[in-house]
Amino acid sequence: MTVKDLMKGISMASANDATVTLAEYISGSEEEFVKMMNNKAAQLGIDAYYYDSCGIANNELSPIGMATLARRIISDYPDILKRSSKKSVNFHGQTYKTTNHLLDAYYYQGADGLKTGTTPAAGYCFCGTAVRNGKRLISVTMASS
C-alpha cells in the first residue's frame, strides 16, 4: 500500500484500518500518534481529547473544535480538498462513492469537502466546506440521527 492509496481509503470510505496503518507509519504506533493528536489539539487551542486515530473510541471534540481543526487543515494542507471533493475513487477494482452528499445528491454550489463519519456514540457527523463569493464556509453537524 502507498500513502496515497491509504488516503483514498480514509477520505472516501472511512477505512479505519488505513487510519491506524498511517498512524503507525508516522509515529511507530497508534498510541504514539494519538499522543501527537492530543498535543496538536492543545497547541491549536482546541478543547479535544483523542483516544484513537479513527474515532471509534468516542474521541471528544466539540463542533467548534472540529471547525477550528478543519480551517487549520485546509490552511496548512490545501491539497486535502483535492481528495475530499471527489465524488468517488477507484481502489483495487472497487469504486467507493462519497458520503458527502453536498457534492452529489444534494449538490451545494462551491462544496469541496471535507468528511463524514458515524459511530454509535457520536451518531452521524459531518464537517463540510464550501467557497461562496470568495469566502470559505465550514459547517459541522454532530450527533445527528
Side-chain angles (χ1 to χ4, degrees):
M1 291 273 169
T2 66
V3 169
K4 184 177 180 180
D5 285 342
L6 292 170
M7 288 299 294
K8 280 184 186 179
I10 293 167
S11 63
M12 195 64 62
S14 294
N16 296 330
D17 53 349
T19 303
V20 173
T21 300
L22 275 180
E24 291 172 347
Y25 175 72
I26 290 167
S27 63
S29 71
E30 184 180 24
E31 293 79 16
E32 282 302 310
F33 188 78
V34 170
K35 287 179 188 176
M36 292 171 64
M37 291 171 65
N38 284 312
N39 289 337
K40 188 65 169 183
Q43 177 188 0
L44 296 174
I46 298 172
D47 184 21
Y49 192 81
Y50 299 100
Y51 297 95
D52 68 7
S53 62
C54 57
I56 292 177
N58 302 327
N59 295 328
E60 299 170 18
L61 180 64
S62 72
I64 291 171
M66 180 59 76
T68 302
L69 182 59
R71 184 181 65 220
R72 188 62 185 262
I73 289 170
I74 293 165
S75 173
D76 291 352
Y77 306 98
D79 282 358
I80 192 69
L81 296 174
K82 292 178 183 173
R83 295 181 196 284
S84 67
S85 64
K86 293 183 181 211
K87 294 180 184 176
S88 67
V89 296
N90 292 310
F91 181 68
H92 290 270
Q94 180 81 24
T95 300
Y96 296 91
K97 294 183 178 183
T98 185
T99 53
N100 178 353
H101 297 302
L102 294 183
L103 299 172
D104 58 16
Y106 303 111
Y107 178 73
Y108 184 82
Q109 184 180 356
D112 58 5
L114 262 169
K115 189 73 185 82
T116 64
T118 306
T119 65
Y124 294 99
C125 299
F126 173 69
C127 181
T129 67
V131 174
R132 285 272 181 101
N133 300 320
K135 183 178 263 189
R136 175 155 308 276
L137 307 171
I138 298 173
S139 172
V140 176
T141 302
M142 293 180 161
S144 177
S145 58

